[in-house]
């Protein structure tokens, strides 16, 4: 029988969760800066390296934590494997578009995509899970849809980078939500499923004479190896935070990463922020404010 947790222990757990959660989202927020280190390498090769090295570092973490049994259980259940194949496809597309956008100096589009993501997740819940929208959620989604429509009309095209990032990550989140496997073992199995494609592509690139492994550029090669660490570490911190914090707190923290993307795009890489794009961001921020206020009210009522 478990011992009751004292108030002091609960507060310590909360502070730890806050630290872990903020650390994870700050790391994710600085991902564009990290992938600027590898922008001399094509995005498809960078993502292939990320998959290969993630196997090593995520696998090492699971080994040290003695959690291989969870991996074996997932691999032994066909229904879970099918779902993890789907989530692997979603996250593979997300990683590829993310890295490509950074290399093409479109970090503002990345930021917009991850700001839109919580609202797209509401749509996924509505369509797939048949959840009912609250008035606040419906208003927020309508504002976001109008923002995308206005940008498509005024800017002469749909913001496809932002939408692919938002929908692929929302799809990933949905599949993982309905898959009974924990975060880190699940990610290991996902990357294991992607590994044959990634390894084969790297070997093909090397055999075709492409500078796939960048052997002549040690700093870039080290940065490619480090993609495994920067993939595994924030995920581990996030998993620790999720066990200690209410979901509402994690929901608020998720805006930290795209906010850092936005600030770096404007003030570090000097990406142009025209009036149309600024209007789209302003409308999305308004939608998120409505969504957050609605979530806060529901959280208070639930407590």
């Amino acid at each position: 029988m478990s011992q009751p947790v004292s108030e002091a222990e609960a507060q310590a757990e909360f502070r730890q969760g806050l630290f872990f959660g903020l650390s994870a989202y700050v790391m994710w927020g600085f991902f564009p800066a990290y992938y600027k280190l590898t922008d001399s390498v094509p995005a498809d090769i960078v993502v292939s390296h990320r998959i290969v090295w993630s196997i090593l570092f995520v696998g090492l973490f699971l080994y040290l934590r003695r959690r291989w049994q969870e991996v074996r259980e997932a691999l032994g259940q066909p229904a879970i494997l099918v779902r993890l194949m789907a989530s692997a496809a979603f996250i593979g597309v997300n990683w590829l578009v993310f890295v490509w956008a950074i290399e093409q100096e479109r970090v503002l589009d990345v930021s917009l995509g991850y700001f839109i993501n919580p609202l797209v997740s509401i749509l996924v819940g509505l369509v797939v899970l048949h959840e009912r929208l609250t008035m606040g959620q419906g208003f927020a989604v309508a504002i976001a849809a109008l923002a995308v429509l206005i940008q498509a009309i005024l800017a002469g095209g749909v913001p496809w980078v932002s939408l692919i990032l938002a929908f692929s990550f929302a799809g990933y989140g949905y599949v993982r939500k309905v898959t009974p496997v924990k975060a880190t073992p699940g990610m290991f199995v996902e990357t294991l499923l992607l590994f044959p494609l990634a390894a084969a592509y790297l070997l093909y690139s090397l055999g075709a004479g492409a500078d796939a492994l960048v052997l002549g550029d040690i700093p870039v090669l080290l940065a490619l190896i480090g993609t495994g660490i920067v993939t595994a570490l924030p995920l581990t911190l996030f998993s620790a935070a999720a066990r200690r914090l209410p979901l509402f707190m994690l929901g608020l923290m998720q805006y930290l990463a795209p906010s850092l993307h936005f600030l770096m795009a404007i003030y570090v890489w000097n990406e142009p922020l025209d009036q149309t794009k600024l209007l789209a961001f302003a409308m999305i921020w308004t939608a998120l404010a409505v969504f957050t206020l609605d979530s806060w009210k529901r959280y208070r009522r639930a407590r």
Side-chain angles (χ1 to χ4, degrees), residues 11-25 240-242 244-245 249-250 253:
Q11 290 178 351
E13 283 280 292
F14 179 82
R15 287 193 296 270
Q16 287 179 349
L18 204 58
F19 172 77
F20 291 145
L22 288 173
S23 298
Y25 279 108
R244 294 169 170 84
L245 295 177
M249 291 289 296
L250 291 173
M253 287 183 186

Short mmCIF file of all heavy atoms in Angstrom, two decimals, residues 11-25 240-242 244-245 249-250 253:
data_model
loop_
_atom_site.label_atom_id
_atom_site.label_comp_id
_atom_site.label_asym_id
_atom_site.label_seq_id
_atom_site.Cartn_x
_atom_site.Cartn_y
_atom_site.Cartn_z
N GLN A 11 4.77 19.66 -3.26
CA GLN A 11 5.32 20.91 -3.78
C GLN A 11 6.67 20.68 -4.44
O GLN A 11 6.98 21.29 -5.48
CB GLN A 11 5.45 21.93 -2.64
CG GLN A 11 4.11 22.46 -2.15
CD GLN A 11 4.27 23.44 -1.00
OE1 GLN A 11 5.36 23.60 -0.45
NE2 GLN A 11 3.18 24.08 -0.63
N ALA A 12 7.48 19.81 -3.86
CA ALA A 12 8.78 19.49 -4.46
C ALA A 12 8.59 18.82 -5.82
O ALA A 12 9.31 19.13 -6.78
CB ALA A 12 9.58 18.59 -3.53
N GLU A 13 7.62 17.91 -5.90
CA GLU A 13 7.32 17.25 -7.17
C GLU A 13 6.87 18.27 -8.21
O GLU A 13 7.28 18.22 -9.38
CB GLU A 13 6.22 16.20 -6.97
CG GLU A 13 6.70 14.91 -6.33
CD GLU A 13 7.39 14.02 -7.35
OE1 GLU A 13 6.73 13.50 -8.26
OE2 GLU A 13 8.62 13.86 -7.24
N PHE A 14 6.04 19.24 -7.78
CA PHE A 14 5.55 20.26 -8.69
C PHE A 14 6.70 21.13 -9.21
O PHE A 14 6.78 21.41 -10.40
CB PHE A 14 4.51 21.14 -7.98
CG PHE A 14 3.95 22.23 -8.85
CD1 PHE A 14 2.93 21.97 -9.74
CD2 PHE A 14 4.46 23.52 -8.77
CE1 PHE A 14 2.41 22.98 -10.55
CE2 PHE A 14 3.97 24.53 -9.58
CZ PHE A 14 2.94 24.26 -10.47
N ARG A 15 7.61 21.53 -8.30
CA ARG A 15 8.75 22.35 -8.72
C ARG A 15 9.64 21.59 -9.70
O ARG A 15 10.13 22.14 -10.68
CB ARG A 15 9.54 22.81 -7.50
CG ARG A 15 8.86 23.90 -6.68
CD ARG A 15 9.82 24.52 -5.69
NE ARG A 15 10.29 23.56 -4.70
CZ ARG A 15 9.69 23.33 -3.53
NH1 ARG A 15 8.58 24.00 -3.21
NH2 ARG A 15 10.18 22.44 -2.67
N GLN A 16 9.85 20.30 -9.41
CA GLN A 16 10.65 19.49 -10.33
C GLN A 16 9.97 19.40 -11.70
O GLN A 16 10.62 19.52 -12.74
CB GLN A 16 10.85 18.08 -9.75
CG GLN A 16 11.83 18.02 -8.59
CD GLN A 16 11.96 16.59 -8.06
OE1 GLN A 16 11.19 15.71 -8.41
NE2 GLN A 16 12.95 16.37 -7.20
N GLY A 17 8.67 19.17 -11.67
CA GLY A 17 7.91 19.08 -12.92
C GLY A 17 8.00 20.37 -13.72
O GLY A 17 8.15 20.36 -14.95
N LEU A 18 7.92 21.51 -13.01
CA LEU A 18 8.01 22.81 -13.67
C LEU A 18 9.38 22.98 -14.32
O LEU A 18 9.49 23.42 -15.47
CB LEU A 18 7.78 23.91 -12.64
CG LEU A 18 7.28 25.27 -13.13
CD1 LEU A 18 5.95 25.13 -13.87
CD2 LEU A 18 7.15 26.23 -11.97
N PHE A 19 10.42 22.59 -13.60
CA PHE A 19 11.79 22.69 -14.14
C PHE A 19 11.96 21.79 -15.36
O PHE A 19 12.49 22.21 -16.40
CB PHE A 19 12.80 22.32 -13.06
CG PHE A 19 14.22 22.22 -13.56
CD1 PHE A 19 14.96 23.36 -13.82
CD2 PHE A 19 14.80 20.97 -13.79
CE1 PHE A 19 16.27 23.26 -14.31
CE2 PHE A 19 16.10 20.87 -14.27
CZ PHE A 19 16.83 22.02 -14.53
N PHE A 20 11.51 20.54 -15.24
CA PHE A 20 11.65 19.60 -16.35
C PHE A 20 10.87 20.08 -17.58
O PHE A 20 11.35 20.02 -18.71
CB PHE A 20 11.17 18.20 -15.94
CG PHE A 20 12.05 17.53 -14.92
CD1 PHE A 20 11.49 16.71 -13.94
CD2 PHE A 20 13.42 17.70 -14.93
CE1 PHE A 20 12.29 16.08 -13.01
CE2 PHE A 20 14.24 17.07 -14.00
CZ PHE A 20 13.67 16.26 -13.03
N GLY A 21 9.63 20.54 -17.34
CA GLY A 21 8.80 20.97 -18.45
C GLY A 21 9.36 22.19 -19.16
O GLY A 21 9.43 22.24 -20.39
N LEU A 22 9.78 23.20 -18.39
CA LEU A 22 10.36 24.41 -18.98
C LEU A 22 11.64 24.07 -19.74
O LEU A 22 11.88 24.60 -20.84
CB LEU A 22 10.64 25.45 -17.90
CG LEU A 22 9.41 26.13 -17.30
CD1 LEU A 22 9.82 27.02 -16.12
CD2 LEU A 22 8.66 26.96 -18.34
N SER A 23 12.46 23.18 -19.17
CA SER A 23 13.70 22.78 -19.83
C SER A 23 13.41 22.11 -21.17
O SER A 23 14.07 22.40 -22.18
CB SER A 23 14.50 21.82 -18.94
OG SER A 23 14.87 22.44 -17.73
N ALA A 24 12.40 21.23 -21.21
CA ALA A 24 12.06 20.53 -22.45
C ALA A 24 11.61 21.52 -23.52
O ALA A 24 12.08 21.47 -24.67
CB ALA A 24 10.97 19.50 -22.19
N TYR A 25 10.70 22.43 -23.16
CA TYR A 25 10.17 23.35 -24.17
C TYR A 25 11.19 24.39 -24.60
O TYR A 25 11.17 24.84 -25.76
CB TYR A 25 8.89 24.01 -23.65
CG TYR A 25 7.69 23.12 -23.81
CD1 TYR A 25 7.08 22.51 -22.72
CD2 TYR A 25 7.16 22.86 -25.08
CE1 TYR A 25 5.99 21.67 -22.88
CE2 TYR A 25 6.08 22.03 -25.24
CZ TYR A 25 5.49 21.44 -24.14
OH TYR A 25 4.41 20.59 -24.31
N ALA A 240 9.15 13.28 -17.78
CA ALA A 240 9.25 13.49 -16.33
C ALA A 240 8.30 14.60 -15.88
O ALA A 240 7.68 14.50 -14.82
CB ALA A 240 10.69 13.84 -15.96
N ALA A 241 8.17 15.64 -16.69
CA ALA A 241 7.26 16.74 -16.33
C ALA A 241 5.81 16.29 -16.37
O ALA A 241 5.01 16.67 -15.52
CB ALA A 241 7.48 17.91 -17.29
N ALA A 242 5.46 15.48 -17.39
CA ALA A 242 4.07 15.04 -17.55
C ALA A 242 3.59 14.22 -16.36
O ALA A 242 2.39 14.21 -16.04
CB ALA A 242 3.94 14.23 -18.84
N ARG A 244 4.39 14.86 -13.30
CA ARG A 244 4.36 15.71 -12.12
C ARG A 244 3.44 16.92 -12.23
O ARG A 244 3.13 17.54 -11.21
CB ARG A 244 5.79 16.20 -11.81
CG ARG A 244 6.76 15.10 -11.40
CD ARG A 244 8.18 15.61 -11.38
NE ARG A 244 9.10 14.64 -10.77
CZ ARG A 244 9.66 13.64 -11.41
NH1 ARG A 244 9.38 13.44 -12.69
NH2 ARG A 244 10.48 12.81 -10.79
N LEU A 245 3.02 17.28 -13.45
CA LEU A 245 2.25 18.50 -13.65
C LEU A 245 0.86 18.19 -14.22
O LEU A 245 0.70 17.22 -14.96
CB LEU A 245 2.97 19.44 -14.62
CG LEU A 245 4.31 20.03 -14.17
CD1 LEU A 245 4.90 20.87 -15.30
CD2 LEU A 245 4.15 20.86 -12.91
N MET A 249 -1.07 22.89 -17.20
CA MET A 249 0.23 23.55 -17.10
C MET A 249 1.09 23.21 -18.32
O MET A 249 1.75 24.08 -18.90
CB MET A 249 0.94 23.11 -15.83
CG MET A 249 0.32 23.62 -14.55
SD MET A 249 0.57 25.39 -14.34
CE MET A 249 2.34 25.48 -14.18
N LEU A 250 1.07 21.95 -18.73
CA LEU A 250 1.83 21.56 -19.92
C LEU A 250 1.28 22.26 -21.16
O LEU A 250 2.03 22.63 -22.07
CB LEU A 250 1.78 20.05 -20.11
CG LEU A 250 2.54 19.21 -19.08
CD1 LEU A 250 2.26 17.74 -19.29
CD2 LEU A 250 4.04 19.48 -19.16
N MET A 253 2.74 25.69 -21.34
CA MET A 253 4.17 25.66 -21.69
C MET A 253 4.41 25.45 -23.18
O MET A 253 5.44 25.88 -23.71
CB MET A 253 4.88 24.55 -20.91
CG MET A 253 5.07 24.84 -19.45
SD MET A 253 5.99 23.48 -18.66
CE MET A 253 5.89 23.98 -16.94
#
